[in-house]
Amino acid sequence: MDHQNLLEEKTISMPRIGDTAPNFQAVTTKGNIQMADFAKDKWIVMFSHPADFTPVCTTEMSGFAIRKGEFDALNTELLGLSIDSIHAHLGWVQNVRENTGVYFDFPIIADIDMKVSKLYGMLQPNESETAAVRAVFFIDPSKKIRLIMYYPLNVGRNMDEILRALDALQVSDEHKVAMPLDWKRGDKVICPAPKSLDALNERLADNSVEKVTWYLAKKDI
Ligand code: BEZ
């Protein structure tokens, strides 16, 4: 069945940026959870991988595990998912721990009935009908989806970029600013463009910001 038919039959959905993260109940390596259970002051990074015991996925999941402390520092819970059984997940977690010492210390959903992957548009049948693509959903404390990444089966994600994007979202919210190309902590941020002539005149007179032109100004935070 092609993707359009699946969408029309409502067997899969495609959440978008700005939507409330759909609720679900799921079995994970840390017990049963639902989206609504996550603490109301936490961000969530929810990510899917195509299959346990596969090479690219092992590097990616190890990346999340090794850098979990950086997600903790950004007040963020990790939540993995694949269309594998809980037994496969446990076997893989233990296998990677035995071979490399890296422990996947975050819940991984066993989405064997594909309910959650369909709900989140992680099952993209023209890429694979049986495996989830490499999706990343950034969900804020109000449970709103703020950023979505999709990668195909054959290309691993970039952990620096996942952490950078999460940090950028949080700093943008905190300071009511936007982030320029390649922004990273310590760089200048973009002041919102003026929306009236008064605001424009104010901007032109403001020497505390770096003005490239009237609608592009940067400042330190
Ligand atoms: C991998 O993680 O290596 C992989 C998984 C599914 C399809 C292709 C590659």
Side-chain angles (χ1 to χ4, degrees):
M1 186 179 290
D2 71 24
H3 190 248
Q4 194 54 37
N5 287 340
L6 282 165
L7 273 173
E8 278 162 13
E9 288 199 359
K10 297 203 186 330
T11 54
I12 63 170
S13 55
M14 295 294 285
R16 290 169 294 196
I17 292 174
D19 291 355
T20 297
N23 196 24
F24 56 79
Q25 298 194 343
V27 176
T28 85
T29 49
K30 297 254 185 182
N32 293 352
I33 59 156
Q34 48 176 349
M35 176 55 70
D37 287 341
F38 281 89
K40 301 209 180 332
D41 62 343
K42 290 275 186 192
W43 285 71
I44 303 163
V45 167
M46 180 178 174
F47 49 95
S48 51
H49 67 272
D52 297 348
F53 295 99
T54 54
V56 177
C57 298
T58 301
T59 64
E60 290 189 308
M61 294 296 273
S62 300
F64 278 109
I66 289 164
R67 300 188 68 176
K68 183 173 178 296
E70 292 172 68
F71 288 97
D72 291 342
L74 292 171
N75 194 35
T76 300
E77 303 271 11
L78 295 175
L79 176 59
L81 174 150
S82 76
I83 301 168
D84 285 292
S85 70
I86 197 69
H87 301 289
H89 282 349
L90 296 179
W92 188 38
V93 171
Q94 178 55 11
N95 178 262
V96 174
R97 179 160 60 175
E98 276 169 12
N99 284 311
T100 69
V102 175
Y103 179 51
F104 302 166
D105 191 13
F106 46 79
I108 307 169
I109 295 173
D111 195 33
I112 200 76
D113 58 6
M114 304 186 185
K115 265 195 196 141
V116 183
S117 30
K118 285 178 181 170
L119 192 62
Y120 276 76
M122 294 163 167
L123 193 65
Q124 303 196 2
N126 290 332
E127 178 69 353
S128 169
E129 292 195 346
T130 52
V133 296
R134 303 180 194 280
V136 190
F137 285 82
F138 296 71
I139 300 167
D140 75 14
S142 74
K143 302 284 189 296
K144 188 187 278 190
I145 296 171
R146 299 292 300 278
L147 196 157
I148 304 171
M149 297 173 173
Y150 288 117
Y151 277 58
L153 268 53
N154 57 346
V155 177
R157 288 156 283 197
N158 182 304
M159 201 56 63
D160 288 334
E161 174 56 8
I162 293 171
L163 282 156
R164 185 202 74 92
L166 178 63
D167 199 22
L169 285 168
Q170 295 187 1
V171 173
S172 167
D173 282 4
E174 185 185 348
H175 294 274
K176 309 277 178 283
V177 291
M179 305 340 230
L181 174 75
D182 293 338
W183 178 87
K184 61 184 181 324
R185 203 165 265 264
D187 290 352
K188 285 186 161 60
V189 298
I190 293 184
C191 312
K195 292 202 169 57
S196 68
L197 284 173
D198 281 352
L200 185 154
N201 291 331
E202 229 173 81
R203 169 65 52 82
L204 292 177
D206 183 354
N207 291 323
S208 73
V209 299
E210 177 193 315
K211 275 167 283 185
V212 180
T213 183
W214 66 270
Y215 61 83
L216 173 51
K218 295 183 184 180
K219 66 175 183 182
D220 289 309
I221 47 165

